[in-house]
Amino acid sequence: TLSSSSAASDVYKRQDLQDTIYAFGKWFAGRTTDNRLYTSTNRTTWTRVSAASLPTNFRGGGFAYSPTLNRLISVGLLQSGTTGYINYTDDGTNWTTVTISGVDAVTYYPKAEWCGSLGKFIVSFATKYTTSSNGSSWSSLSSLGATGNSFPRLAWSNDLGILVRTGNNLIYYTKDLSNWITITPPFGGQKGGVRWVPELGLFVMAASGSSDAFTSCLLYTSDAADEED
């Protein structure tokens, strides 16, 4: 169920929403290309947050929450430009915008992650990324030195102290957000979402098969610690 102050004109498709997260006692769902933000306390009934109450450049394509800071960040960008926007909130209602210039113009869905034991947020664009210990002040953009990564995905394991980042054809991982190791996966196709599953002690990644990007799906599991050895 979707509620909105302009429900008649607010045509909504599930695939339009790029990320969800739970913080401040409710769920958030957003998209990277405009300021649509939805909230829910039960994941069944969703209400669109009034655009007038959000920053002009609010984007919700990627969320990350720090329980240490009790701060939620949201990231996105204009698809036609090279400016990224990171918004942060300490209550889930009032947001502040930080502008990141010089991001990759081809980044469609930038993502964010809180790396708990490192005490830092990371936001990844296509080939560049930035980090922050507080969500308000961000480092200069660093480069992964690779191309073809317009759809970054991030997953952090506090158990291993490892961040995994996937792109179109490559997998990266790091223990310090500075030094990255590249892995070529054992299958083709566009790399999809990646998650750390603590119950299994594994990173699990989904990818579309190269023969049919819409119907074929492969699962790849990896123990990044073993990869390093």
Side-chain angles (χ1 to χ4, degrees):
T1 303
L2 181 69
S3 301
S4 172
S5 57
S6 57
S9 61
D10 186 23
V11 178
Y12 145 33
K13 299 178 181 179
R14 290 181 184 273
Q15 59 266 35
D16 284 344
L17 302 178
Q18 274 90 43
D19 205 3
T20 60
I21 198 168
Y22 184 80
F24 307 113
K26 57 187 173 183
W27 289 88
F28 294 81
R31 48 183 280 155
T32 196
T33 53
D34 62 27
N35 64 353
R36 295 189 205 183
L37 178 67
Y38 299 88
T39 62
S40 173
T41 57
N42 57 15
R43 289 185 290 180
T44 300
T45 301
W46 292 83
T47 300
R48 181 175 177 180
V49 177
S50 169
S53 67
L54 295 171
T56 302
N57 291 318
F58 180 87
R59 298 291 183 269
F63 295 109
Y65 174 72
S66 165
T68 303
L69 303 174
N70 195 33
R71 175 165 286 183
L72 173 67
I73 68 168
S74 179
V75 63
L77 81 165
L78 299 177
Q79 282 185 296
S80 60
T82 58
T83 300
Y85 301 104
I86 299 173
N87 291 272
Y88 64 89
T89 178
D90 296 329
D91 59 11
T93 301
N94 300 290
W95 296 83
T96 301
T97 303
V98 179
T99 300
I100 307 294
S101 300
V103 304
D104 306 275
V106 296
T107 309
Y108 299 127
Y109 305 113
K111 293 299 179 184
E113 190 76 20
W114 168 252
C115 303
S117 60
L118 296 180
K120 288 186 177 181
F121 288 107
I122 181 172
V123 169
S124 182
F125 299 97
T127 65
K128 300 176 181 179
Y129 67 95
T130 178
T131 62
S132 172
S133 60
N134 56 22
S136 57
S137 299
W138 292 83
S139 67
S140 299
L141 288 168
S142 297
S143 176
L144 287 173
T147 59
N149 288 281
S150 301
F151 300 90
R153 298 292 185 269
L154 300 171
W156 168 257
S157 165
N158 225 42
D159 298 328
L160 299 178
I162 289 175
L163 178 78
V164 171
R165 191 265 197 208
T166 65
N168 281 6
N169 295 296
L170 294 170
I171 301 170
Y172 306 86
Y173 71 91
T174 178
K175 290 187 174 183
D176 58 11
L177 306 185
S178 297
N179 300 291
W180 297 79
I181 295 175
T182 305
I183 301 172
T184 301
F187 53 81
Q190 181 172 289
K191 308 304 170 282
V194 59
R195 289 288 184 271
W196 168 250
V197 185
E199 294 83 0
L200 300 177
L202 293 170
F203 287 99
V204 178
M205 184 181 73
S208 58
S210 56
S211 61
D212 188 339
F214 295 97
T215 60
S216 177
C217 181
L218 303 172
L219 290 178
Y220 174 58
T221 63
S222 171
D223 185 335
D226 286 347
E227 292 284 354
E228 189 175 64
D229 296 337

